[in-house]
Amino acid sequence: MAGEAQCLSYAGCNFLRQRLVLSTLSGRPLKIRKIRAKEEDPGLRDFEASFIRLIDKVTNGSRIEINQTGTTLYYQPGLLYGGSLEHDCSPSRSIGYYLESLLCLAPFMKHPLKIVLRGVTNDQVDPSVDILKATALPLLKKFGIDGESLEIKINRRGMPPKAGGEILFSCPVRKVLQPVQFTDPGKIKRIRGTAYPFLVSLFFFF
């Protein structure tokens, strides 16, 4: 009865990732009902199911229950375990959809996380792995999460609908984060971009 009383209850599919991440960090179980219950195709989407499988991989002892229609999800978080893992992301969303949440969870694992994510590296919906590499990693370093083991490495790129991309994300364990006072936005010094070819034959002339 005590565990049931502490269970967080939500309705709808909004903020599903954030709810699962905060539930995992706080150790509080949650139940989400009425997930797209009134739509013609109710329930969880394939990319959401893939994200739930990813959460299950990085934890140990999690309990996940989904009803037959996929409109109700019960999640009791286990221990954030980490280690060396691999995950095939749904091509419906880019790797950035999954990586954003891993950036929040990785510092608090029992073992340093080293995970290979396969799927779409760049699309028009989610932050690309290039953006997360350029912005999220410097932000993590301000909290004292640094070292050679903090890395986002792009092994190969993949575009929708066939995907085929692959990245390596590794992060050290930091049980305590240093406080940050980050109020001065500073000035824009330079603007950089990343150019890459995809499915294009390149010819070099000397």
Side-chain angles (χ1 to χ4, degrees):
M1 293 295 293
E4 188 68 24
Q6 295 176 0
C7 181
L8 303 170
S9 182
Y10 300 100
C13 62
N14 291 338
F15 310 110
L16 184 134
R17 286 184 305 163
Q18 291 87 337
R19 288 168 177 171
L20 289 173
V21 167
L22 293 175
S23 171
T24 304
L25 291 173
S26 65
R28 298 187 64 182
L30 65 79
K31 193 169 189 177
I32 305 177
R33 302 179 178 88
K34 300 179 181 178
I35 302 175
R36 300 184 182 90
K38 296 183 179 181
E39 297 187 14
E40 293 183 1
D41 184 17
L44 294 165
R45 297 291 183 257
D46 58 344
F47 60 88
E48 293 168 330
S50 179
F51 178 77
I52 293 170
R53 288 193 296 271
L54 175 61
I55 292 292
D56 189 39
K57 285 183 180 180
V58 300
T59 58
N60 184 18
S62 293
R63 178 183 167 194
I64 300 170
E65 298 177 2
I66 302 173
N67 67 348
Q68 291 185 349
T69 59
T71 55
T72 300
L73 164 67
Y74 174 79
Y75 172 62
Q76 182 174 346
L79 173 70
L80 275 167
Y81 194 77
S84 297
L85 302 168
E86 297 182 4
H87 183 71
D88 294 323
C89 305
S90 169
S92 301
R93 301 291 291 265
S94 79
I95 291 176
Y97 173 85
Y98 305 86
L99 187 57
E100 278 184 312
S101 297
L102 285 181
L103 288 165
C104 300
L105 296 173
F108 307 103
M109 303 281 180
K110 183 176 181 180
H111 301 284
L113 180 65
K114 189 173 183 179
I115 185 168
V116 174
L117 299 175
R118 301 185 183 93
V120 175
T121 57
N122 304 77
D123 66 4
Q124 301 298 318
V125 180
D126 301 295
S128 69
V129 291
D130 301 283
I131 291 176
L132 294 177
K133 183 176 181 179
T135 59
L137 293 191
L139 183 59
L140 287 178
K141 290 179 180 179
K142 291 183 179 293
F143 287 95
I145 306 168
D146 55 9
E148 295 181 358
S149 56
L150 179 62
E151 179 187 23
I152 296 177
K153 181 181 179 182
I154 304 171
N155 295 330
R156 61 176 181 266
R157 296 187 182 274
M159 305 296 168
K162 294 185 178 181
E166 180 181 287
I167 73 153
L168 170 66
F169 170 55
S170 58
C171 181
V173 174
R174 293 290 186 273
K175 296 301 181 183
V176 179
L177 304 182
Q178 66 184 29
V180 174
Q181 191 172 18
F182 199 40
T183 57
D184 183 11
K187 297 181 179 180
I188 298 175
K189 296 180 179 179
R190 63 182 64 87
I191 297 176
R192 297 177 178 176
T194 302
Y196 53 87
F198 187 74
L199 296 180
V200 176
S201 298
L202 297 179
F203 299 93
F204 295 93
F205 299 92
F206 298 93

